[in-house]
Structure formats: structure tokens, C-alpha cells
Amino acid sequence: MNSHKCTPLNPTIQNLSHAIFTVNRHAKTATNPKYLYCLKKTALQKMIQEGKAVKIGLHFSEHPKYSQQQSDVLIRCGDYTFHIPPSKEDFKNLPHLGKLDHSSRNPKCHMSLYQAKLLLQAYTGMMENQPKSPQKSTQQYHKKNCKPVFKRLGDSFF
């Protein structure tokens, strides 16, 4: 039996919330976090549309990017809660809950990133695009291997 092959999971609320939790945890240290965060946001938005997740309110962001204060939407999905960036309607329709409550934590789950990505990609229809142009990689290769030219002390640079 090959242990590397994963059987596809059913898109239940529990499986989807486990997958989003896994993707979110790995996105914090990933080489391509933009795709993982986009996959998380798309899956949560689809779950909200289907009634599998609920927007609870707004929280102040722990690490605002360009401003002094920034808010995130708190979403409950099964036993898990997640944050996504808010829309303009969210500011009009959702209550503001103030600072993030550090006493509540998501339960631990054990799911591989590969299995989580497969489930969320099948659920949302998103695919990871990794365009790699051969010209760009050869240019980077030549730049790395070019050695600097040094002049002797006292020689002219002109």
C-alpha cells in the first residue's frame, strides 16, 4: 500500500474547516503565501454563500499594514473561526467586536497541506498557476554567474 496517495475527502463542513485551518497555518511560512490565502478566502466566501459558514463581526487587525487601525471579518465555520479582509458592505452590516480575543483558539487538526489543497481546489475550482518563463530563469542564471570586474588600486575607471 502506498501511504503517499490520499483518498479525496468529501466537502463536509468539518473537512473544509480542517483544510482551511491547515492551509492558513502553512501560509504563514510558505514560499507562495498569496495563493494559499486566496484559496482560503475563496473557500470561505463559497461556504458563506452556501450557508456552511457565518460572518460574526469585525475585529481589529493585530498587525495593520498601511494604517494605524485595520479590521478583519471574523467567520465561524463549524468549530473553527477565521479572519478574512472585509468588504465595504461588511462595515455597514456587521457589528465591531473590538480587539481580538486571545483566549479562544481553534482546535488542532492533523491534515497534510497536499490533502487540504486538493480538497479546497476541488471545492472552489481554483488551480495554482506557476508560470515559469524559460527566458527569465536563464537571465537569472547568467546574472548569478557573472563575476564583478575589479580595477587595480590606482587604475582609472574611465
Side-chain angles (χ1 to χ4, degrees), residues 34-151:
K34 189 178 265 189
Y35 172 71
L36 293 177
Y37 283 127
C38 185
L39 187 63
K40 168 194 161 188
K41 183 179 176 184
T42 307
L44 283 171
Q45 287 174 338
K46 184 171 180 183
M47 290 179 76
I48 290 167
Q49 288 174 349
E50 294 177 352
K52 295 179 179 179
V54 178
K55 290 182 181 181
I56 304 225
L58 296 165
H59 267 155
F60 286 124
S61 181
E62 286 286 305
H63 307 288
K65 235 182 193 179
Y66 301 114
S67 62
Q68 299 265 333
Q69 240 174 18
Q70 184 177 335
S71 295
D72 294 323
V73 178
L74 179 67
I75 297 174
R76 177 165 301 285
C77 174
D79 296 334
Y80 291 83
T81 55
F82 302 103
H83 287 99
I84 61 171
S87 64
K88 288 184 180 181
E89 292 80 33
D90 292 332
F91 284 106
K92 294 176 187 173
N93 301 330
L94 296 174
H96 208 290
L97 306 172
K99 290 185 178 179
L100 179 66
D101 181 20
H102 290 286
S103 64
S104 65
R105 303 291 245 161
N106 282 331
K108 300 276 185 200
C109 76
H110 300 286
M111 180 184 280
S112 70
L113 177 61
Y114 176 76
Q115 196 171 19
K117 280 172 65 174
L118 279 180
L119 176 62
L120 294 180
Q121 285 172 346
Y123 181 68
T124 61
M126 284 182 64
M127 295 308 280
E128 188 170 11
N129 295 335
Q130 294 180 340
K132 294 191 177 188
S133 62
Q135 295 172 350
K136 199 173 195 180
S137 61
T138 56
Q139 287 172 355
Q140 289 174 350
Y141 176 76
H142 289 298
K143 280 186 180 178
K144 283 183 182 177
N145 291 335
C146 291
K147 295 181 180 177
V149 178
F150 294 103
K151 301 281 185 182

